[in-house]
């Protein structure tokens, strides 16, 4: 796992979200994705949790 700073992690998360949202612009899926950043004690760093909200 790469050693990311908080700033790098947020930038990587935003880039991932952008890549995921580009193909869905044509056909909009019912609901929206919510990205939440949580601190994972076992990993010792923050991670992203994505969920679909209707």
């Amino acid at each position: 796992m790469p050693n990311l700073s908080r700033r790098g992690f947020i930038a990587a998360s935003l880039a991932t979200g952008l890549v995921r949202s580009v193909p869905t612009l044509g056909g909009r899926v019912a609901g929206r994705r919510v990205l939440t950043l949580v601190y994972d004690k076992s990993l010792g760093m923050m991670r992203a949790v994505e969920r679909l909200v209707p």
Side-chain angles (χ1 to χ4, degrees):
M1 178 156 294
N3 188 9
L4 293 175
S5 65
R6 181 176 291 171
R7 212 176 261 177
F9 177 78
I10 292 172
S13 298
L14 290 175
T16 303
L18 180 65
V19 168
R20 284 189 173 184
S21 66
V22 169
T24 61
L25 291 178
R28 190 70 181 147
V29 179
R32 64 185 175 130
R33 295 177 187 263
V34 176
L35 182 68
T36 307
L37 298 175
V38 296
Y39 185 77
D40 192 342
K41 289 181 182 178
S42 63
L43 292 174
M45 61 185 288
M46 295 181 77
R47 67 181 179 99
V49 176
E50 186 178 15
R51 60 188 172 108
L52 186 64
V53 177

